[in-house]
Amino acid sequence: MLPHEWIAQNGVLLVFLNVLGASLGLPLPVMPTLIAVAACQTQGAASLWSIALPLSPILGVAVLAGVLADLIWFFWGRRYGPRTLNTVCDLTLSREACVSKTEQIFGQWGARLLIVARVLPGLSLVAVPLCGAMGVRLRTFVGYDCAGVTLWIGAGLTLGVMFASQIQRLLNALSVFGARAMIAIGVLAVVCVAYRFARRIWTARASDNDASLQIDSRI
């Protein structure tokens, strides 16, 4: 099976799992996935209807996955309060900057921040539980979160439609090399994800060690 055929057949499930995992905090490449799936689903489309029809279920399941994952973080924040922000910021490269920056931006924008949080790297992961910790109403949260996730997913799908021909040529070139090339790309993607996740853990531990050393020096 050619790469674009596999992506076209499994695009809905691929997008759902990708968005769900990324929204839960896993370092997954959502935008490349959305672009590739949109390009394969709209191959040869000649009208707006033929483009919108296959992309509608993808948009729907992607928004569902994003909001479901965000609800988990939201209720986590509501239950554990401000401590949740510290926990989530441990997943970022700079815990202190994450906490101060998020609290400052949230103080200015409130729950409206969710509309643009997805397009700002790392912000949605902390803004969502912060909404729960700050007592934002569930209906308000779901409304703004749906708008933000839809904007984010729609941007990726739109890019896929715009550059469909270029992406198709790339996938056709990869198919020439056969299954070995696809396996190599898959292994490389897994290694990159594992590296990013390990870097987050290492950075969080380094921050904790630095904080401990500062406390010991003061004592």
Side-chain angles (χ1 to χ4, degrees):
M1 181 181 295
L2 297 178
H4 65 272
E5 294 176 345
W6 185 88
I7 294 176
Q9 291 183 9
N10 301 278
V12 174
L13 179 61
L14 182 62
V15 168
F16 179 84
L17 295 177
N18 202 276
V19 173
L20 181 66
S23 299
L24 290 174
L26 298 178
L28 299 176
V30 176
M31 268 303 159
T33 302
L34 293 172
I35 293 172
V37 170
C40 294
Q41 291 286 350
T42 57
Q43 182 183 12
S47 64
L48 182 61
W49 174 254
S50 60
I51 293 175
L53 186 61
L55 294 185
S56 296
I58 296 176
L59 177 63
V61 298
V63 173
L64 176 64
V67 174
L68 284 177
D70 287 350
L71 283 173
I72 294 175
W73 284 116
F74 175 80
F75 285 114
W76 183 280
R78 174 168 289 185
R79 178 171 183 177
Y80 294 102
R83 291 182 300 170
T84 307
L85 182 59
N86 294 325
T87 302
V88 176
C89 282
D90 285 338
L91 301 175
T92 64
L93 297 181
S94 177
R95 176 179 178 178
E96 291 76 12
C98 168
V99 173
S100 60
K101 181 179 179 181
T102 304
E103 290 180 341
Q104 180 182 3
I105 297 177
F106 188 86
Q108 296 176 350
W109 294 90
R112 293 174 297 173
L113 178 63
L114 295 172
I115 298 177
V116 297
R118 290 279 184 169
V119 299
L120 300 176
L123 184 57
S124 65
L125 190 60
V126 291
V128 170
L130 186 58
C131 286
M134 293 300 181
V136 175
R137 295 176 60 183
L138 178 60
R139 183 172 60 182
T140 301
F141 169 78
V142 172
Y144 282 123
D145 194 50
C146 283
V149 175
T150 302
L151 178 64
W152 176 50
I153 299 299
L157 297 179
T158 300
L159 288 174
V161 174
M162 292 174 58
F163 298 98
S165 59
Q166 292 86 342
I167 295 171
Q168 287 294 334
R169 286 197 293 267
L170 175 61
L171 293 176
N172 290 335
L174 290 175
S175 65
V176 175
F177 297 96
R180 293 182 179 179
M182 299 304 298
I183 293 175
I185 294 175
V187 171
L188 181 62
V190 171
V191 170
C192 290
V193 170
Y195 168 75
R196 293 176 62 183
F197 189 73
R199 187 177 65 174
R200 286 182 176 181
I201 296 177
W202 180 84
T203 303
R205 290 181 178 177
S207 299
D208 291 339
N209 292 334
D210 291 341
S212 299
L213 291 175
Q214 292 178 0
I215 294 175
D216 293 338
S217 63
R218 293 175 182 176
I219 296 175

